[in-house]
Amino acid sequence: MSGPEPSAGPAAKSSASALSFRRWWRSARFALCGVRHVWATQANFRIEVAAGALACALGALLRVPLAPILTCCALVLSLEALNTALEALTDLASPEWHLRAKVAKDAAAGAVLIASALSVLVGVAVLGPALFRVLGWR
């Protein structure tokens, strides 16, 4: 790898403290760029955001605990972002088809699928009883 180390230069000196707001804000901007990229390029991420917003709105209307719903949303969206990152790195490392690249991509996508499926079950468990009461079903 060529070029200076990331910690070299005047910018590193001005933000040397781990508690520096400037350093935190710079890192947050990079993270937001990543979230924007995932939003712009991944239709599944946008669908998952919409499903999560719907689940949170329904939970608020039904006055059920939102923590399990928010936790599931965070897990699914985070895994979707990691899946996107892994796919990009895999494509960079292995531009041609390779069985190990396929395994890496499929496993990452499988992690998102598992989290999504189990999040639906959490949604049913948390929202179901309150929804049944509102609809008059027992």
Side-chain angles (χ1 to χ4, degrees):
M1 185 179 218
S2 63
E5 291 295 317
S7 61
K13 290 179 185 173
S14 67
S15 62
S17 169
L19 300 177
S20 166
F21 180 74
R22 176 179 279 170
R23 182 176 176 174
W24 177 87
W25 183 247
R26 183 172 184 254
S27 295
R29 282 195 327 244
F30 290 137
L32 289 172
C33 285
V35 172
R36 275 196 300 269
H37 174 78
V38 175
W39 175 267
T41 63
Q42 304 300 311
N44 284 345
F45 186 81
R46 294 188 299 271
I47 292 167
E48 291 155 358
V49 167
L54 180 63
C56 287
L58 189 56
L61 280 171
L62 295 173
R63 295 189 174 147
V64 299
L66 291 180
I69 297 168
L70 291 170
T71 301
C72 287
C73 291
L75 177 65
V76 170
L77 295 175
S78 296
L79 284 173
E80 189 68 55
L82 283 172
N83 180 44
T84 301
L86 191 136
E87 285 181 357
L89 283 172
T90 303
D91 290 345
L92 180 64
S94 181
E96 288 87 36
W97 188 92
H98 193 284
L99 178 60
R100 289 185 180 154
K102 178 187 181 335
V103 168
K105 288 179 160 188
D106 290 353
V112 178
L113 179 64
I114 291 166
S116 297
L118 292 175
S119 292
V120 168
L121 293 178
V122 169
V124 169
V126 172
L127 298 171
L131 191 57
F132 289 162
R133 275 193 303 277
V134 167
L135 296 175
W137 301 346
R138 292 188 181 200

XYZ file of all heavy atoms in Angstrom, residues 45-114:
499
model
N -33.503 -2.152 0.870
C -33.308 -1.278 2.024
C -34.494 -0.311 2.141
O -35.030 -0.109 3.228
C -31.995 -0.503 1.880
C -31.636 0.326 3.076
C -31.027 -0.242 4.182
C -31.892 1.685 3.100
C -30.684 0.523 5.292
C -31.560 2.460 4.193
C -30.946 1.872 5.296
N -34.905 0.263 1.022
C -36.040 1.200 1.043
C -37.330 0.479 1.457
O -38.133 1.023 2.215
C -36.184 1.881 -0.315
C -34.996 2.783 -0.649
C -35.219 3.600 -1.904
N -35.408 2.809 -3.098
C -34.428 2.386 -3.895
N -33.179 2.657 -3.618
N -34.700 1.681 -4.977
N -37.510 -0.744 0.984
C -38.686 -1.535 1.384
C -38.632 -1.827 2.881
O -39.643 -1.713 3.587
C -38.762 -2.838 0.563
C -39.078 -2.526 -0.911
C -39.781 -3.807 1.156
C -38.865 -3.697 -1.856
N -37.451 -2.185 3.385
C -37.298 -2.489 4.810
C -37.518 -1.250 5.677
O -38.097 -1.348 6.765
C -35.910 -3.094 5.057
C -35.778 -4.476 4.452
C -34.353 -4.881 4.117
O -33.411 -4.081 4.307
O -34.177 -6.024 3.650
N -37.088 -0.091 5.200
C -37.347 1.147 5.941
C -38.852 1.404 6.008
O -39.397 1.732 7.061
C -36.615 2.351 5.306
C -37.124 3.674 5.863
C -35.102 2.239 5.528
N -39.534 1.222 4.880
C -40.986 1.436 4.853
C -41.696 0.436 5.771
O -42.607 0.822 6.534
C -41.516 1.312 3.422
N -41.284 -0.819 5.741
C -41.906 -1.827 6.609
C -41.653 -1.502 8.078
O -42.549 -1.632 8.914
C -41.368 -3.216 6.270
N -40.442 -1.064 8.383
C -40.114 -0.693 9.762
C -40.901 0.511 10.229
O -41.393 0.538 11.370
N -41.050 1.502 9.358
C -41.829 2.691 9.715
C -43.290 2.314 9.944
O -43.933 2.802 10.895
C -41.713 3.746 8.615
N -43.817 1.440 9.112
C -45.195 0.968 9.282
C -45.359 0.213 10.604
O -46.321 0.441 11.351
C -45.597 0.072 8.107
C -47.007 -0.505 8.125
C -48.044 0.619 8.074
C -47.196 -1.459 6.969
N -44.402 -0.658 10.913
C -44.471 -1.415 12.166
C -44.383 -0.480 13.379
O -45.118 -0.652 14.353
C -43.354 -2.454 12.212
N -43.509 0.522 13.301
C -43.380 1.480 14.415
C -44.651 2.317 14.566
O -45.110 2.553 15.687
C -42.170 2.389 14.198
S -40.600 1.545 14.451
N -45.219 2.754 13.452
C -46.451 3.544 13.510
C -47.586 2.707 14.088
O -48.352 3.175 14.946
C -46.816 4.059 12.120
N -47.695 1.468 13.647
C -48.733 0.580 14.173
C -48.511 0.320 15.658
O -49.459 0.339 16.446
C -48.739 -0.731 13.386
C -49.882 -1.693 13.645
C -51.238 -1.026 13.405
C -49.735 -2.925 12.759
N -47.267 0.127 16.040
C -46.949 -0.079 17.450
C -47.305 1.126 18.302
O -47.834 0.984 19.412
N -47.028 2.317 17.786
C -47.375 3.537 18.528
C -48.888 3.681 18.646
O -49.414 4.046 19.707
C -46.766 4.752 17.837
N -49.612 3.398 17.557
C -51.074 3.476 17.590
C -51.670 2.473 18.577
O -52.633 2.776 19.272
C -51.657 3.218 16.202
C -51.628 4.379 15.227
C -52.041 3.911 13.834
C -52.534 5.501 15.697
N -51.091 1.293 18.621
C -51.605 0.237 19.504
C -51.037 0.343 20.921
O -51.424 -0.440 21.796
C -51.287 -1.138 18.912
C -51.963 -1.471 17.589
C -51.432 -2.780 17.024
C -53.482 -1.538 17.760
N -50.136 1.269 21.117
C -49.499 1.500 22.426
C -48.837 0.237 22.974
O -49.057 -0.145 24.120
C -50.505 2.076 23.412
C -50.969 3.444 22.996
C -51.788 4.089 24.063
N -52.064 5.470 23.634
C -53.159 6.116 23.915
N -54.094 5.537 24.629
N -53.330 7.350 23.500
N -48.045 -0.398 22.132
C -47.260 -1.562 22.559
C -45.807 -1.105 22.731
O -45.417 -0.055 22.221
C -47.353 -2.717 21.530
C -48.783 -3.189 21.372
C -46.759 -2.322 20.192
N -44.993 -1.871 23.430
C -43.583 -1.505 23.583
C -42.890 -1.430 22.221
O -42.979 -2.365 21.413
C -42.999 -2.637 24.424
C -44.168 -3.294 25.076
C -45.333 -3.086 24.169
N -42.227 -0.316 21.963
C -41.566 -0.129 20.670
C -40.141 -0.673 20.645
O -39.578 -0.855 19.571
C -41.554 1.348 20.287
C -42.913 1.952 19.950
C -42.772 3.424 19.576
C -43.580 1.186 18.820
N -39.565 -0.940 21.808
C -38.164 -1.391 21.848
C -37.907 -2.643 21.005
O -36.932 -2.669 20.236
C -37.712 -1.588 23.286
N -38.737 -3.684 21.088
C -38.453 -4.866 20.255
C -38.572 -4.562 18.763
O -37.794 -5.080 17.958
C -39.504 -5.890 20.674
C -40.177 -5.364 21.878
C -39.868 -3.912 21.986
N -39.518 -3.724 18.406
C -39.708 -3.375 16.997
C -38.520 -2.563 16.498
O -37.965 -2.836 15.431
C -41.034 -2.611 16.799
C -42.217 -3.499 17.173
C -41.175 -2.119 15.361
C -43.534 -2.773 17.282
N -38.114 -1.567 17.274
C -36.967 -0.741 16.892
C -35.684 -1.563 16.825
O -34.849 -1.348 15.931
C -36.808 0.426 17.857
C -37.900 1.493 17.778
C -37.787 2.465 18.946
C -37.843 2.225 16.455
N -35.528 -2.503 17.738
C -34.342 -3.357 17.728
C -34.302 -4.208 16.464
O -33.255 -4.338 15.820
C -34.318 -4.257 18.983
O -34.322 -3.420 20.141
C -33.088 -5.150 19.000
N -35.432 -4.767 16.100
C -35.498 -5.563 14.867
C -35.226 -4.702 13.638
O -34.508 -5.132 12.721
C -36.853 -6.255 14.749
S -37.050 -7.629 15.890
N -35.782 -3.501 13.618
C -35.537 -2.590 12.491
C -34.053 -2.270 12.378
O -33.475 -2.310 11.282
C -36.332 -1.297 12.659
S -38.098 -1.489 12.488
N -33.437 -1.965 13.508
C -32.006 -1.646 13.507
C -31.184 -2.833 13.007
O -30.246 -2.670 12.219
C -31.559 -1.230 14.909
N -31.544 -4.033 13.452
C -30.811 -5.223 13.042
C -30.932 -5.460 11.536
O -29.925 -5.660 10.841
C -31.327 -6.446 13.808
C -30.694 -7.777 13.419
C -29.214 -7.787 13.768
C -31.416 -8.921 14.099
N -32.144 -5.428 11.024
C -32.355 -5.706 9.596
C -31.674 -4.641 8.734
O -30.969 -4.968 7.772
C -33.860 -5.803 9.263
C -34.097 -5.849 7.759
C -34.470 -7.026 9.934
N -31.842 -3.374 9.076
C -31.245 -2.301 8.270
C -29.719 -2.332 8.341
O -29.037 -2.112 7.339
C -31.788 -0.946 8.695
C -33.288 -0.755 8.450
C -33.757 0.583 9.022
C -33.618 -0.860 6.967
N -29.184 -2.628 9.516
C -27.723 -2.727 9.654
C -27.174 -3.897 8.842
O -26.148 -3.764 8.162
C -27.334 -2.891 11.115
O -27.690 -1.754 11.851
N -27.858 -5.028 8.904
C -27.402 -6.173 8.116
C -27.511 -5.907 6.619
O -26.662 -6.354 5.845
C -28.187 -7.428 8.490
C -27.785 -8.077 9.809
C -28.731 -9.212 10.167
C -26.354 -8.579 9.747
N -28.533 -5.181 6.205
C -28.658 -4.828 4.787
C -27.493 -3.948 4.345
O -26.924 -4.130 3.254
C -29.992 -4.129 4.520
C -30.292 -3.914 3.050
C -30.563 -5.208 2.298
O -31.451 -5.973 2.713
O -29.882 -5.445 1.270
N -27.108 -2.997 5.195
C -25.963 -2.141 4.877
C -24.672 -2.962 4.830
O -23.841 -2.779 3.927
C -25.856 -1.009 5.894
N -24.489 -3.863 5.787
C -23.304 -4.733 5.773
C -23.300 -5.649 4.555
O -22.250 -5.901 3.963
C -23.240 -5.564 7.051
C -22.759 -4.819 8.285
C -22.920 -5.688 9.533
C -21.318 -4.388 8.126
N -24.455 -6.140 4.165
C -24.564 -6.967 2.971
C -24.119 -6.180 1.739
O -23.382 -6.696 0.896
C -25.998 -7.476 2.810
C -26.171 -8.351 1.591
O -25.359 -9.221 1.308
N -27.237 -8.114 0.851
N -24.541 -4.933 1.647
C -24.146 -4.087 0.520
C -22.638 -3.871 0.514
O -21.994 -3.954 -0.543
C -24.885 -2.736 0.596
O -26.293 -2.990 0.560
C -24.501 -1.821 -0.552
N -22.069 -3.614 1.692
C -20.622 -3.414 1.787
C -19.871 -4.684 1.392
O -18.889 -4.628 0.639
C -20.253 -2.994 3.208
N -20.345 -5.829 1.878
C -19.678 -7.083 1.554
C -19.770 -7.394 0.063
O -18.802 -7.856 -0.538
C -20.285 -8.224 2.367
C -19.488 -9.511 2.281
C -19.354 -10.139 3.655
C -20.117 -10.474 1.320
N -20.909 -7.110 -0.534
C -21.046 -7.333 -1.976
C -20.079 -6.449 -2.756
O -19.453 -6.902 -3.719
C -22.478 -7.064 -2.419
C -23.446 -8.152 -2.025
C -24.863 -7.883 -2.502
O -25.118 -6.810 -3.094
O -25.723 -8.743 -2.278
N -19.943 -5.189 -2.346
C -19.027 -4.276 -3.041
C -17.582 -4.751 -2.903
O -16.825 -4.755 -3.887
C -19.188 -2.860 -2.496
N -17.195 -5.152 -1.709
C -15.832 -5.641 -1.499
C -15.580 -6.938 -2.261
O -14.503 -7.142 -2.824
C -15.570 -5.859 -0.013
C -15.307 -4.600 0.793
C -15.251 -4.918 2.282
C -14.022 -3.938 0.343
N -16.572 -7.808 -2.287
C -16.432 -9.069 -3.008
C -16.277 -8.806 -4.497
O -15.432 -9.413 -5.164
C -17.631 -9.988 -2.735
O -17.732 -10.188 -1.326
C -17.481 -11.333 -3.423
N -17.070 -7.893 -5.041
C -16.953 -7.545 -6.463
C -15.590 -6.940 -6.778
O -15.028 -7.181 -7.847
C -18.063 -6.577 -6.874
C -19.428 -7.243 -6.905
O -19.494 -8.491 -6.895
O -20.432 -6.503 -6.920
N -15.059 -6.158 -5.850
C -13.743 -5.551 -6.040
C -12.651 -6.626 -6.006
O -11.756 -6.637 -6.841
C -13.489 -4.508 -4.952
C -12.156 -3.777 -4.990
C -12.042 -2.933 -6.255
C -12.013 -2.895 -3.756
N -12.734 -7.533 -5.047
C -11.709 -8.561 -4.881
C -11.805 -9.656 -5.932
O -10.796 -10.266 -6.293
C -11.813 -9.179 -3.489
N -12.997 -9.927 -6.418
C -13.197 -11.031 -7.351
C -14.141 -10.590 -8.464
O -15.327 -10.939 -8.450
C -13.776 -12.231 -6.589
O -13.966 -13.320 -7.462
N -13.631 -9.812 -9.435
C -14.516 -9.317 -10.515
C -15.144 -10.446 -11.343
O -16.265 -10.319 -11.805
C -13.603 -8.462 -11.384
C -12.390 -8.197 -10.559
C -12.282 -9.306 -9.565
N -14.411 -11.550 -11.516
C -14.980 -12.688 -12.230
C -15.719 -13.577 -11.236
O -15.448 -13.558 -10.049
C -13.884 -13.513 -12.925
C -13.277 -12.825 -14.132
C -12.122 -11.922 -13.757
O -11.379 -12.287 -12.828
O -11.983 -10.852 -14.360
N -16.626 -14.394 -11.780
C -17.387 -15.300 -10.916
C -16.435 -16.259 -10.225
O -15.513 -16.811 -10.825
C -18.405 -16.077 -11.744
C -19.338 -16.873 -10.891
C -20.541 -16.452 -10.418
C -19.150 -18.198 -10.394
N -21.117 -17.437 -9.646
C -20.276 -18.526 -9.603
C -18.138 -19.136 -10.508
C -20.428 -19.745 -8.963
C -18.279 -20.352 -9.859
C -19.427 -20.646 -9.101
N -16.677 -16.452 -8.942
C -15.893 -17.415 -8.159
C -16.818 -18.016 -7.110
O -17.619 -17.304 -6.517
C -14.709 -16.707 -7.493
C -13.705 -17.657 -6.930
N -13.907 -18.351 -5.762
C -12.487 -18.034 -7.396
C -12.853 -19.116 -5.522
N -11.976 -18.935 -6.486
N -16.689 -19.317 -6.876
C -17.568 -19.992 -5.933
C -17.489 -19.366 -4.538
O -18.511 -19.152 -3.889
C -17.230 -21.483 -5.853
C -18.064 -22.286 -4.851
C -19.552 -22.221 -5.209
C -17.584 -23.727 -4.788
N -16.299 -19.028 -4.068
C -16.173 -18.443 -2.730
C -16.810 -17.058 -2.663
O -17.373 -16.686 -1.631
C -14.715 -18.382 -2.310
C -14.158 -19.753 -2.015
C -12.760 -19.678 -1.487
N -12.258 -21.015 -1.226
C -10.984 -21.324 -1.232
N -10.075 -20.388 -1.460
N -10.598 -22.549 -0.981
N -16.725 -16.300 -3.746
C -17.393 -14.990 -3.778
C -18.902 -15.179 -3.702
O -19.592 -14.445 -2.986
C -16.996 -14.233 -5.047
N -19.400 -16.177 -4.420
C -20.844 -16.472 -4.374
C -21.266 -16.873 -2.961
O -22.294 -16.406 -2.457
C -21.190 -17.587 -5.359
C -22.659 -17.994 -5.339
C -22.899 -19.207 -6.211
C -24.334 -19.665 -6.266
N -25.209 -19.368 -5.192
N -20.478 -17.710 -2.310
C -20.790 -18.146 -0.948
C -20.833 -16.945 -0.015
O -21.760 -16.812 0.809
C -19.766 -19.207 -0.460
C -19.904 -19.449 1.025
C -19.939 -20.508 -1.239
N -19.860 -16.043 -0.129
C -19.820 -14.855 0.735
C -21.056 -13.987 0.523
O -21.711 -13.552 1.490
C -18.554 -14.046 0.463
N -21.392 -13.742 -0.731
C -22.559 -12.906 -1.031
C -23.859 -13.578 -0.576
O -24.732 -12.925 0.005
C -22.629 -12.610 -2.528
C -21.585 -11.640 -3.007
C -21.749 -11.464 -4.512
C -21.120 -10.207 -5.000
N -21.442 -9.942 -6.410
N -23.992 -14.863 -0.851
C -25.210 -15.579 -0.471
C -25.366 -15.645 1.047
O -26.481 -15.519 1.576
C -25.215 -16.989 -1.061
C -25.404 -17.013 -2.578
O -25.672 -15.940 -3.152
O -25.264 -18.104 -3.170
N -24.264 -15.864 1.757
C -24.335 -15.940 3.220
C -24.741 -14.590 3.808
O -25.556 -14.528 4.739
C -22.992 -16.391 3.797
N -24.206 -13.498 3.266
C -24.580 -12.174 3.762
C -26.054 -11.890 3.476
O -26.772 -11.365 4.333
C -23.688 -11.104 3.133
N -26.502 -12.246 2.290
C -27.920 -12.069 1.967
C -28.787 -12.961 2.855
O -29.876 -12.568 3.283
C -28.170 -12.387 0.492
N -28.294 -14.152 3.160
C -29.023 -15.049 4.053
C -29.168 -14.473 5.450
O -30.209 -14.654 6.099
N -28.143 -13.771 5.924
C -28.228 -13.132 7.239
C -29.349 -12.099 7.264
O -30.099 -11.998 8.243
C -26.892 -12.481 7.602
N -29.481 -11.341 6.189
C -30.565 -10.359 6.100
C -31.914 -11.064 6.073
O -32.861 -10.644 6.749
C -30.407 -9.445 4.862
C -31.566 -8.458 4.758
C -29.080 -8.709 4.878
N -32.003 -12.150 5.336
C -33.252 -12.905 5.250
C -33.650 -13.482 6.607
O -34.814 -13.389 7.015
C -33.116 -14.031 4.220
C -34.340 -14.915 4.036
C -35.512 -14.114 3.489
C -34.011 -16.088 3.130
N -32.691 -14.048 7.330
C -32.979 -14.606 8.656
C -33.484 -13.512 9.592
O -34.492 -13.676 10.278
C -31.730 -15.294 9.239
C -31.413 -16.570 8.454
C -31.909 -15.598 10.725
C -30.022 -17.125 8.740
